[in-house]
Amino acid sequence: MLLRPNQRLKLDDTDDKLFYAYPRFVTHVDESFIQQLTELYRQRLKPNTRILDMMSSWVSHLPEELQFDHVEGHGLNAEELARNPRLNHHFVQNLNENPQLPLPDQDFDAVLNCVSVQYMQYPEALFSEIHRILKPGGVAIISFSNRMFFQKAIQAWRDGTDATRVELVKRYFTSVPGFTTPEVIAHKSTVPNFLQWLGAAGGDPFYAVVAYRNEAQ
């Protein structure tokens, strides 16, 4: 296994559904991060395709001018998902209890995960599921910064640095046969750390790890 049992532990081990029971209609990263993510989606996503926004909320940060055949949303708060105008359909599921997605094989052109990978306790199973539901040539885009709900992030993430977290997500991809070599997009913040924590504009570093399901499969 990629992670040792202790590396999967959370400081708050109560049911995740309880933690997310109340909606949070906020964005968890700054505007600069959101702009960079939307631009990455603009570059990598194709119109009239099928998208899964995994561990989503009330906003998906998709480019307004791009229209898709279907955007499926997954998360832990139904009220947040219902507020998201880009979702055609959504479902609620605790992936740390059941990592198997109720979705058909090779049905999606893209799987997106924004600032939530740090909460996955069984990433090997979830990245296998991402591979399963992607069409050959489909893309997975995992984006994150240095913010988190500390009590809900796994120990391997809490104990890491930005650099080791990037390497961890790359290993999540390489642990599953059938993905292309992961590509890293990294824009480190030039804002001093103490100003980052105070929420200074442009303070959130932007990281994304991108891989594709191999065409030959």
Side-chain angles (χ1 to χ4, degrees), residues 176-212:
V176 180
F179 278 116
T180 60
T181 301
E183 173 190 356
V184 175
I185 297 111
H187 297 140
K188 299 179 182 179
S189 175
T190 57
V191 177
N193 285 340
F194 76 97
L195 290 178
Q196 290 183 35
W197 288 110
L198 291 173
D204 289 346
F206 176 85
Y207 300 101
V209 183
V210 181
Y212 295 79

Coordinates of all heavy atoms in Angstrom, one line a residue, residues 176-212:
V176 N -1.4 3.7 -9.7 CA -2.4 3.0 -10.5 C -1.9 2.8 -12.0 O -1.6 3.8 -12.6 CB -3.7 3.9 -10.6 CG1 -4.8 3.3 -11.4 CG2 -4.2 4.2 -9.2
P177 N -1.8 1.6 -12.4 CA -1.3 1.4 -13.8 C -2.3 2.0 -14.8 O -3.5 1.9 -14.6 CB -1.3 -0.1 -13.9 CG -1.3 -0.7 -12.5 CD -2.0 0.3 -11.7
G178 N -1.8 2.7 -15.8 CA -2.7 3.2 -16.9 C -2.8 4.6 -16.9 O -3.6 5.2 -17.8
F179 N -2.1 5.4 -16.1 CA -2.1 6.9 -16.2 C -0.8 7.3 -16.9 O 0.2 6.6 -16.8 CB -2.1 7.5 -14.8 CG -3.5 7.7 -14.3 CD1 -3.8 7.0 -13.1 CD2 -4.5 8.5 -14.9 CE1 -5.1 7.2 -12.5 CE2 -5.7 8.6 -14.3 CZ -6.1 8.0 -13.1
T180 N -0.8 8.4 -17.6 CA 0.4 9.0 -18.1 C 1.2 9.5 -17.0 O 0.8 9.6 -15.9 CB 0.1 10.1 -19.1 OG1 -0.7 11.1 -18.4 CG2 -0.8 9.6 -20.3
T181 N 2.5 9.8 -17.3 CA 3.4 10.4 -16.3 C 2.7 11.7 -15.8 O 2.4 12.6 -16.6 CB 4.7 10.7 -16.9 OG1 5.3 9.5 -17.3 CG2 5.7 11.3 -15.8
P182 N 2.6 11.9 -14.5 CA 1.9 13.1 -13.9 C 2.7 14.3 -14.3 O 3.9 14.4 -14.2 CB 1.9 12.8 -12.4 CG 2.0 11.4 -12.3 CD 2.9 10.9 -13.4
E183 N 2.0 15.4 -14.6 CA 2.5 16.7 -14.9 C 2.2 17.6 -13.8 O 1.1 17.7 -13.3 CB 1.9 17.2 -16.2 CG 2.3 18.7 -16.6 CD 1.5 19.2 -17.7 OE1 0.7 18.4 -18.3 OE2 1.6 20.4 -18.0
V184 N 3.2 18.4 -13.3 CA 3.0 19.3 -12.2 C 3.0 20.8 -12.7 O 3.9 21.2 -13.5 CB 4.1 19.2 -11.2 CG1 4.0 20.2 -10.1 CG2 4.1 17.7 -10.6
I185 N 2.0 21.5 -12.3 CA 1.9 23.0 -12.5 C 2.1 23.6 -11.1 O 1.3 23.3 -10.2 CB 0.6 23.4 -13.2 CG1 0.5 22.8 -14.6 CG2 0.5 24.9 -13.3 CD1 -0.5 21.8 -14.7
A186 N 3.1 24.4 -10.9 CA 3.3 25.0 -9.6 C 3.6 26.5 -9.7 O 4.5 26.9 -10.5 CB 4.5 24.3 -8.9
H187 N 2.9 27.3 -9.0 CA 3.1 28.7 -8.9 C 3.2 29.1 -7.5 O 2.2 29.2 -6.8 CB 2.0 29.5 -9.6 CG 1.8 29.2 -11.1 ND1 0.6 29.1 -11.7 CD2 2.8 29.0 -12.0 CE1 0.8 28.8 -13.0 NE2 2.1 28.8 -13.2
K188 N 4.4 29.2 -7.0 CA 4.6 29.4 -5.6 C 4.3 30.9 -5.2 O 4.5 31.8 -6.1 CB 6.1 29.1 -5.2 CG 6.4 27.6 -5.4 CD 7.8 27.3 -5.0 CE 8.2 25.9 -5.3 NZ 9.6 25.5 -5.0
S189 N 3.8 31.1 -4.0 CA 3.5 32.5 -3.6 C 4.8 33.2 -3.3 O 5.8 32.7 -2.7 CB 2.6 32.4 -2.4 OG 2.4 33.8 -1.9
T190 N 4.8 34.5 -3.6 CA 6.0 35.4 -3.2 C 5.6 36.2 -2.0 O 6.4 37.0 -1.5 CB 6.3 36.3 -4.4 OG1 5.2 37.1 -4.8 CG2 6.8 35.5 -5.6
V191 N 4.4 36.0 -1.5 CA 4.0 36.7 -0.3 C 4.6 36.1 0.9 O 4.5 34.8 1.0 CB 2.4 36.8 -0.2 CG1 2.0 37.4 1.1 CG2 1.9 37.5 -1.4
P192 N 5.1 36.8 1.9 CA 5.7 36.2 3.1 C 4.7 35.3 3.8 O 3.4 35.6 3.8 CB 6.1 37.4 4.0 CG 6.3 38.5 3.0 CD 5.3 38.3 1.9
N193 N 5.2 34.3 4.5 CA 4.3 33.3 5.1 C 3.2 33.9 6.0 O 2.1 33.6 6.0 CB 5.1 32.2 5.9 CG 5.8 31.3 4.9 OD1 5.3 31.1 3.8 ND2 6.8 30.6 5.4
F194 N 3.7 34.9 6.9 CA 2.7 35.4 7.8 C 1.6 36.2 7.2 O 0.5 36.2 7.6 CB 3.5 36.3 8.9 CG 3.9 37.6 8.4 CD1 3.1 38.8 8.7 CD2 5.1 37.8 7.7 CE1 3.5 40.0 8.2 CE2 5.5 39.1 7.2 CZ 4.7 40.2 7.5
L195 N 1.9 36.8 6.0 CA 0.9 37.5 5.3 C 0.0 36.5 4.5 O -1.2 36.8 4.4 CB 1.5 38.5 4.3 CG 2.2 39.7 4.9 CD1 2.8 40.6 3.8 CD2 1.2 40.6 5.7
Q196 N 0.5 35.4 4.1 CA -0.3 34.4 3.5 C -1.4 33.9 4.5 O -2.6 33.8 4.2 CB 0.5 33.2 3.1 CG 1.4 33.4 1.9 CD 2.2 32.1 1.6 OE1 1.6 31.0 1.7 NE2 3.4 32.2 1.1
W197 N -1.0 33.7 5.7 CA -1.9 33.2 6.8 C -2.9 34.3 7.1 O -4.0 34.0 7.6 CB -1.2 32.7 8.0 CG -0.5 31.4 7.7 CD1 0.9 31.2 7.6 CD2 -1.1 30.1 7.5 NE1 1.1 29.9 7.3 CE2 0.0 29.2 7.3 CE3 -2.4 29.7 7.5 CZ2 -0.3 27.8 7.0 CZ3 -2.7 28.3 7.2 CH2 -1.6 27.4 7.0
L198 N -2.6 35.5 6.9 CA -3.5 36.6 7.2 C -4.4 36.9 6.0 O -5.3 37.7 6.1 CB -2.7 37.9 7.5 CG -2.0 37.9 8.8 CD1 -1.1 39.2 8.9 CD2 -2.9 37.9 10.0
G199 N -4.2 36.1 4.9 CA -5.1 36.2 3.8 C -4.8 37.3 2.8 O -5.6 37.8 2.0
A200 N -3.5 37.6 2.7 CA -3.1 38.7 1.7 C -3.4 38.2 0.3 O -3.2 37.0 0.0 CB -1.6 39.0 1.9
A201 N -3.7 39.2 -0.5 CA -4.1 38.8 -1.9 C -2.8 38.2 -2.6 O -1.7 38.7 -2.5 CB -4.5 40.1 -2.7
G202 N -3.1 37.2 -3.4 CA -2.0 36.5 -4.1 C -1.2 35.6 -3.2 O -0.1 35.1 -3.6
G203 N -1.7 35.4 -2.0 CA -0.9 34.6 -1.0 C -0.9 33.1 -1.1 O 0.0 32.4 -0.6
D204 N -2.0 32.6 -1.8 CA -2.1 31.2 -1.8 C -1.3 30.6 -3.0 O -1.5 31.0 -4.1 CB -3.6 30.8 -2.1 CG -4.5 31.0 -0.9 OD1 -3.9 31.2 0.2 OD2 -5.7 31.0 -1.0
P205 N -0.4 29.7 -2.7 CA 0.4 29.0 -3.8 C -0.6 28.1 -4.6 O -1.6 27.7 -4.0 CB 1.4 28.2 -3.1 CG 0.9 28.0 -1.7 CD 0.1 29.2 -1.4
F206 N -0.3 27.9 -5.8 CA -1.2 27.1 -6.7 C -0.4 25.9 -7.2 O 0.7 26.0 -7.7 CB -1.6 27.9 -7.9 CG -2.5 27.1 -8.9 CD1 -3.8 27.0 -8.7 CD2 -1.9 26.5 -10.0 CE1 -4.6 26.2 -9.6 CE2 -2.6 25.8 -10.9 CZ -4.0 25.6 -10.7
Y207 N -1.0 24.7 -6.9 CA -0.4 23.5 -7.4 C -1.5 22.7 -8.1 O -2.6 22.6 -7.6 CB 0.2 22.7 -6.2 CG 1.3 23.4 -5.5 CD1 1.0 24.0 -4.2 CD2 2.6 23.4 -6.0 CE1 2.0 24.6 -3.5 CE2 3.6 24.1 -5.3 CZ 3.3 24.7 -4.1 OH 4.3 25.4 -3.4
A208 N -1.1 22.1 -9.2 CA -2.0 21.1 -9.8 C -1.2 20.0 -10.4 O 0.0 20.2 -10.9 CB -2.8 21.8 -11.0
V209 N -1.7 18.8 -10.2 CA -1.1 17.6 -10.8 C -2.1 17.0 -11.8 O -3.2 16.8 -11.5 CB -0.7 16.5 -9.7 CG1 0.0 15.4 -10.4 CG2 0.2 17.2 -8.6
V210 N -1.6 16.8 -13.0 CA -2.5 16.4 -14.1 C -1.9 15.2 -14.8 O -0.7 15.0 -15.0 CB -2.5 17.6 -15.2 CG1 -3.4 17.2 -16.4 CG2 -2.9 18.9 -14.6
A211 N -2.9 14.2 -15.0 CA -2.5 13.0 -15.8 C -3.7 12.6 -16.6 O -4.8 13.0 -16.4 CB -2.1 11.9 -14.8
Y212 N -3.4 11.7 -17.6 CA -4.4 11.3 -18.5 C -4.5 9.8 -18.5 O -3.5 9.1 -18.2 CB -4.1 11.7 -20.0 CG -4.1 13.2 -20.2 CD1 -3.0 14.0 -19.8 CD2 -5.2 13.8 -20.8 CE1 -3.0 15.4 -20.0 CE2 -5.2 15.2 -21.0 CZ -4.1 15.9 -20.6 OH -4.2 17.3 -20.8

